[in-house]
Amino acid sequence: MRLYTHTQMDMPVSVIHGRKAGPVALVTAAVHGDEINGIEIIRRLLRRKELNRIRGTLVAIPVVNVFGFVSQSRYLPDRRDLNRYFPGTGKGSLTSGLASLLMEEIAQRADFCLDLHSGSQHRKNLPQARANFDDPAAHELVEQFSAPVLVHSIPREGSLRWAFQAMGKPALVFEGGEALRFDEPSIQAGLNGILNVLRHRGLLAGKPRLASPLMARSFSWVRSPISGIHISRVPLGHAIQKGQVLGTVADPFGDNEQPVLAHHSGLIIGAQQSPLVYRGDALFNIANLDATDEVDDALAEFHRELALDFDHDQY
């Protein structure tokens, strides 16, 4: 792929091929160029010594959207979202051509895909894995990943996950943290999830370390009632009750202030990070779960596992 200056832009790909036969796993990050947590996850994955004894093949692409990564942008230079253009065509736009290149040269050879993302537009996501629960193969894959929260999500047309589903192959999306910021819990959860899948699928030896993830069949956003300054009262990953005050939005002069109310009970899996909002802006993403002690216990266990797993010598 070339810029309009005719400067060549390459998409680096790491391929680790084992001596023994096995599945072909594809791990991708930075389909959106400003979502960098996945890049660090893959960097740490590729430094694991156990990959020297892999069965099958691991194909890892730390930066799919090199154009956006260089400019710290979600999009490509033509202002298109790559994750809306799969499977693409070589005769189309720059974005469509990049999508086609990935699908034809790499994705068609893979048995499954783990696509790593972060929140966008000043939004931060709790570590979570998304897949179509109604697709048995995708449901099995997301359960093997074993993120703290597993979310049922139908692939959006044009996404990489949608293109894999169209090929009859399972794929999931891992979400964690926010754009242009490293988030250590998300990085560790993503790395652990990938290792779980590779062990489940026989690419790596050893037993996967499975947690008891929370399952959500749906999720929805609570939006700002007015334009103004948003003050949050609840943190990401917090269990909430229907009708609970999640925050307030006020004008800068103190004349008008309105509460932000939870429209159902559940778990906050995504949150707006910027205090400056317009009416209708998404503020809190709530997974439809019962706000019980089970939710708090599961998240506490997740953080305990992260504390035990964090060992710089592994990387």
Side-chain angles (χ1 to χ4, degrees):
M1 306 295 289
R2 293 184 181 273
L3 299 174
Y4 51 69
T5 62
H6 253 236
T7 302
Q8 183 72 35
M9 291 287 282
D10 298 321
M11 182 174 64
V13 178
S14 294
V15 179
I16 301 176
H17 188 63
R19 294 181 179 180
K20 297 183 179 181
V24 178
L26 174 61
V27 183
T28 57
V31 167
H32 296 130
D34 59 353
E35 297 179 5
I36 63 174
N37 279 304
I39 300 172
E40 176 62 10
I41 291 170
I42 293 180
R43 188 188 73 83
R44 295 188 189 184
L45 172 66
L46 294 176
R47 295 182 65 189
R48 302 284 298 199
K49 297 178 181 178
E50 59 203 288
L51 293 183
N52 295 330
R53 301 181 298 276
I54 196 170
R55 291 173 176 261
T57 303
L58 171 64
V59 181
I61 311 178
V63 185
V64 173
N65 181 1
V66 179
F67 301 94
F69 177 64
V70 170
S71 61
Q72 300 184 26
S73 170
R74 178 181 180 87
Y75 305 107
L76 276 88
D78 58 6
R79 296 300 300 166
R80 291 180 170 91
D81 184 338
L82 177 59
N83 214 30
R84 301 293 181 266
Y85 278 82
F86 289 101
T89 171
K91 298 180 180 180
S93 64
L94 173 66
T95 301
S96 186
L98 180 58
S100 175
L101 179 67
L102 176 60
M103 292 302 300
E104 293 181 4
E105 298 295 327
I106 300 172
Q108 289 186 4
R109 295 173 166 83
D111 293 308
F112 61 90
C113 178
L114 310 177
D115 189 24
L116 311 178
H117 286 259
S118 299
S120 64
Q121 300 171 333
H122 305 293
R123 298 173 186 167
K124 185 175 182 179
N125 286 328
L126 190 74
Q128 59 196 263
R130 300 180 181 180
N132 181 3
F133 289 2
D134 297 329
D135 178 346
H139 197 181
E140 180 183 17
L141 185 66
V142 77
E143 287 186 323
Q144 292 171 356
F145 195 92
S146 193
V149 181
L150 306 182
V151 181
H152 171 62
S153 173
I154 302 297
R156 178 174 292 187
E157 184 174 352
S159 67
L160 179 58
R161 188 159 60 99
W162 177 82
F164 262 81
Q165 179 175 275
M167 292 191 295
K169 300 178 181 181
L172 65 77
V173 162
F174 172 75
E175 289 274 0
E178 60 182 308
L180 296 176
R181 298 288 185 274
F182 278 161
D183 181 73
E184 188 60 36
S186 296
I187 292 169
Q188 291 183 56
L191 177 61
N192 289 344
I194 294 171
L195 293 173
N196 278 337
V197 171
L198 296 183
R199 289 166 182 157
H200 257 295
R201 298 285 168 134
L203 284 91
L204 296 179
K207 294 182 179 180
R209 295 182 60 183
L210 301 182
S212 299
L214 299 167
M215 308 283 287
R217 286 290 307 187
S218 63
F219 57 91
S220 58
W221 283 92
V222 174
R223 298 182 178 274
S224 180
I226 60 173
S227 300
I229 298 174
H230 172 232
I231 305 297
S232 175
R233 293 188 182 179
V234 291
L236 189 67
H238 194 72
I240 52 91
Q241 298 281 358
K242 182 178 180 180
Q244 181 176 340
V245 176
L246 306 179
T248 57
V249 180
D251 70 82
F253 312 104
D255 296 327
N256 186 14
E257 180 176 299
Q258 291 194 26
V260 178
L261 303 178
H263 43 59
H264 61 81
S265 299
L267 179 72
I268 297 177
I269 61 172
Q272 173 67 248
Q273 299 300 290
S274 173
L276 309 179
V277 299
Y278 286 104
R279 185 180 66 180
D281 280 357
L283 299 182
F284 300 95
N285 192 4
I286 303 177
N288 289 296
L289 302 169
D290 291 331
T292 64
D293 291 339
E294 181 180 349
V295 174
D296 294 328
D297 290 344
L299 291 172
E301 179 62 24
F302 162 63
H303 288 290
R304 283 195 294 269
E305 287 292 324
L306 289 183
L308 291 173
D309 287 340
F310 189 53
D311 181 355
H312 290 285
D313 292 337
Q314 290 287 332
Y315 309 113

